[in-house]
């Protein structure tokens, strides 16, 4: 996947949970550049921190959804997936990359988001795939869903394509993934507070994700990172 080269030589600018951002990641965000998995992992971790007490929602970094379909056998898949407790979650967000070559760390040219949705007891579980340039990543999403089904109580879980605003360039797919993830998390919070909220997040995605919001999100991510850097610096100075 798209890690970015020369990591050992790059200046580290922020450690956030398990994610280390480098100086080159800030350049990527200033664009126009394809997002790497560090940036996607960072923002999903940031969203997850806002839902830290919510055991029903799980946001995974790109490395795990990429690893699962590329493991050699079901036992290896179960060893990685069992600690995630996927069957007990109501929503699981999984970023999908189309890199066909596990030996090529910077491979892949498209990001999408696969959601394991078990939030509606009436309709039952489903996979919802959000692709801003369909059907580019549908094969990769199907591979991931096929690996996950045996780990879930209901094995015949359908995969549907969720309505997703289309990107108008060749590099913003990762930002669309993050914008869709943010809309889903906002919907999840609203749903928990108001019983009359939308039955699923699809309308929220239509409302909140578009070219303008995606363009603005790059700036918002840079501002978020700079704020966290400043907070870390201040904390370190006070601890001296």
């Amino acid at each position: 996947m798209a890690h970015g080269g020369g990591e050992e030589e790059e200046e580290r600018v922020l450690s956030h949970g398990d994610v280390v951002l480098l100086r080159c990641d800030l350049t990527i965000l200033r664009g126009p550049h394809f997002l790497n998995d560090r940036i996607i992992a960072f923002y999903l971790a940031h969203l997850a921190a806002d839902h830290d007490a919510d055991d029903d929602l799980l946001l995974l970094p790109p490395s795990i959804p990429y690893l699962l379909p590329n493991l050699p056998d079901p036992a290896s898949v179960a060893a990685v997936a069992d600690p995630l407790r996927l069957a007990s979650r109501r929503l699981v967000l999984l970023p999908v990359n189309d890199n066909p070559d596990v030996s090529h760390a910077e491979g892949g040219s498209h990001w999408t988001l696969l959601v394991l949705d078990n939030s509606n007891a009436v309709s039952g579980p489903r996979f919802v795939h959000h692709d801003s340039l369909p059907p580019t990543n549908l094969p990769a999403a199907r591979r991931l869903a096929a690996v996950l089904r045996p780990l879930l109580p209901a094995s015949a879980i359908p995969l549907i394509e969720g309505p997703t605003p289309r990107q108008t360039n060749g590099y913003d797919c990762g930002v669309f993934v993050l914008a869709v993830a943010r809309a889903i998390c906002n919907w999840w919070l609203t749903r928990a507070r108001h019983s009359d909220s939308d039955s699923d997040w699809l309308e929220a995605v239509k409302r909140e994700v578009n070219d303008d919001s995606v363009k603005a999100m790059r700036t918002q991510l840079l501002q978020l990172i700079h704020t966290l850097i400043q907070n870390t610096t201040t904390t370190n100075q006070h601890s001296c």
Side-chain angles (χ1 to χ4, degrees):
M1 289 184 295
H3 291 274
E7 181 171 337
E8 67 280 357
E9 300 175 1
E10 284 280 355
E11 179 188 355
R12 299 184 176 197
V13 295
L14 178 67
S15 295
H16 187 71
D18 295 329
V19 183
V20 175
L21 291 179
L22 309 179
R23 181 71 59 188
C24 63
D25 298 325
L26 304 185
T27 301
I28 288 171
L29 278 172
R30 293 186 185 101
H33 301 293
F34 181 83
L35 295 196
N36 61 28
D37 48 329
R38 277 193 305 271
I39 297 171
I40 290 176
F42 158 75
Y43 189 65
L44 294 182
H46 175 74
L47 289 175
D50 290 337
H51 301 264
D52 193 41
D54 189 347
D55 206 42
D56 288 333
L57 176 66
L58 179 65
L59 293 87
L60 291 175
S63 56
I64 295 176
Y66 185 71
L67 173 66
L68 290 172
N70 289 295
L71 290 171
D73 52 62
S76 301
V77 172
V80 173
D82 283 353
L84 304 175
R85 295 182 292 108
L86 299 177
S88 69
R89 312 286 187 173
R90 298 182 70 190
L91 276 182
V92 182
L93 276 61
L94 306 109
V96 179
N97 186 275
D98 66 346
N99 180 12
D101 184 358
V102 295
S103 66
H104 187 197
E106 297 179 32
S109 60
H110 193 49
W111 291 105
T112 55
L113 185 69
L114 184 68
V115 183
L116 170 56
D117 175 24
N118 197 26
S119 63
N120 191 319
V122 176
S123 62
R126 61 180 180 169
F127 290 103
V128 182
H129 184 224
H130 288 280
D131 189 341
S132 57
L133 205 60
T136 306
N137 257 19
L138 186 55
R142 284 175 172 161
R143 284 185 64 220
L144 177 57
V147 167
L148 296 179
R149 284 190 184 99
L151 306 171
L152 303 168
S155 58
I157 302 175
L159 188 156
I160 68 169
E161 285 289 305
T164 309
R166 290 182 67 100
Q167 66 187 86
T168 56
N169 56 50
Y171 50 82
D172 267 338
C173 53
V175 192
F176 271 85
V177 165
L178 299 185
V180 171
R182 179 175 62 184
I184 294 172
C185 289
N186 289 342
W187 165 83
W188 185 248
L189 279 175
T190 302
R191 186 177 187 269
R193 294 169 182 164
H194 305 287
S195 58
D196 60 345
S197 63
D198 295 332
S199 59
D200 61 34
W201 64 85
L202 301 183
E203 289 300 320
V205 168
K206 292 178 185 178
R207 286 194 304 267
E208 298 178 26
V209 182
N210 53 55
D211 280 341
D212 290 338
S213 66
V214 165
K215 183 178 180 180
M217 193 167 194
R218 284 184 179 267
T219 301
Q220 293 161 1
L221 285 167
L222 283 167
Q223 291 171 340
L224 171 62
I225 292 167
H226 285 306
T227 298
L228 292 172
I229 291 171
Q230 291 172 353
N231 291 345
T232 300
T233 302
T234 301
T235 301
N236 290 341
Q237 288 173 344
H238 287 169
S239 63
C240 291

